[in-house]
Amino acid sequence: DGDHPDPKTRIHVLDKLVRAMQLVSSERYAEAVPLFQEIAAINPRMLDAWETMGQCLQRLGRREEALAAFERAMAISGGVGHVAIQVGGLLLEMDRLEQARAHAELGLDTSPALANNLLAKIAIAHKDFAEAERQARLATAGRGSRVGPLVTLATIQSETGRLQEALATTDTALADLARMEGDSKWMGVYL
């Protein structure tokens, strides 16, 4: 709602966005960040700019800056689940476990497999392996890639001394990954 700029006057922003995304695809995150910052300065409501900037900053180890970018994305999106899960993953890296859990729970309705996998990782950090396994199994049953949740489950099995189970679970994850790599429609794995 409200006044929006004429798209013809903002075509240069699209050019910057395409270039920034190309840099991300090439894993040139440090070069992409300034472009995303320029884009966000021109259009502060562009969710993709804030979200992808956050991802780049996180990969560069600039966690506080990444968190600020993700928080802007959360505000713009109204707390959309997949962004909340990204924030939760970053908060887990930062050992802010309760905040990570709250963000993971925001994603349960829209991205249950990703949210459950994150909740499993948070439970691992708490050394609550029963809850971690419960969440990992929920994640493997959800829609989407099972590879990440299977890796999480194998980690839990390994941590609890069930090495044969961990090996079998890892083999299943590798088989799933090989099937996805052979599928031309596959677009990525959420680990």
Side-chain angles (χ1 to χ4, degrees), residues 23-41:
L23 290 169
V24 171
S25 294
S26 300
E27 298 181 10
R28 294 165 55 188
Y29 308 119
E31 294 173 59
V33 168
L35 286 175
F36 286 119
Q37 289 169 333
E38 289 177 32
I39 294 164

Side-chain angles (χ1 to χ4, degrees), residues 44-59:
R45 293 179 39 171
M46 186 179 283
L47 174 62
D48 291 342
W50 289 107
E51 181 180 1
T52 312
M53 184 186 342
Q55 293 165 357
C56 291
L57 291 163
Q58 184 175 3
R59 287 184 178 109

Side-chain angles (χ1 to χ4, degrees), residues 3-7 10 12-14 16-17 35-51 53 72 76:
D3 290 333
H4 295 286
D6 181 343
R10 297 292 173 99
H12 67 285
V13 177
L14 181 58
K16 283 182 191 292
L17 182 61
L35 286 175
F36 286 119
Q37 289 169 333
E38 289 177 32
I39 294 164
I42 294 166
N43 184 352
R45 293 179 39 171
M46 186 179 283
L47 174 62
D48 291 342
W50 289 107
E51 181 180 1
M53 184 186 342
R72 288 293 299 265
I76 293 164

Side-chain angles (χ1 to χ4, degrees), residues 64-122:
E64 290 297 334
E65 291 172 84
L67 184 58
F70 281 138
E71 286 174 346
R72 288 293 299 265
M74 285 288 291
I76 293 164
S77 71
V80 69
H82 77 275
V83 177
I85 291 168
Q86 290 181 82
V87 176
L90 176 59
L91 290 165
L92 174 60
E93 283 181 25
M94 298 169 81
D95 202 32
R96 293 164 60 176
L97 302 181
E98 292 313 308
Q99 289 176 301
R101 178 190 320 279
H103 281 81
E105 289 171 353
L106 290 173
L108 281 170
D109 288 339
T110 58
S111 303
L114 294 173
N116 288 124
N117 193 46
L118 180 55
L119 288 167
K121 290 176 180 182
I122 294 164

Side-chain angles (χ1 to χ4, degrees), residues 115-150:
N116 288 124
N117 193 46
L118 180 55
L119 288 167
K121 290 176 180 182
I122 294 164
I124 291 169
H126 280 296
K127 304 289 187 209
D128 183 351
F129 295 110
E131 177 62 11
E133 186 162 345
R134 186 180 82 77
Q135 292 292 343
R137 291 194 183 280
L138 286 170
T140 62
R143 272 191 4 239
S145 171
R146 293 182 336 139
V147 175
L150 285 168

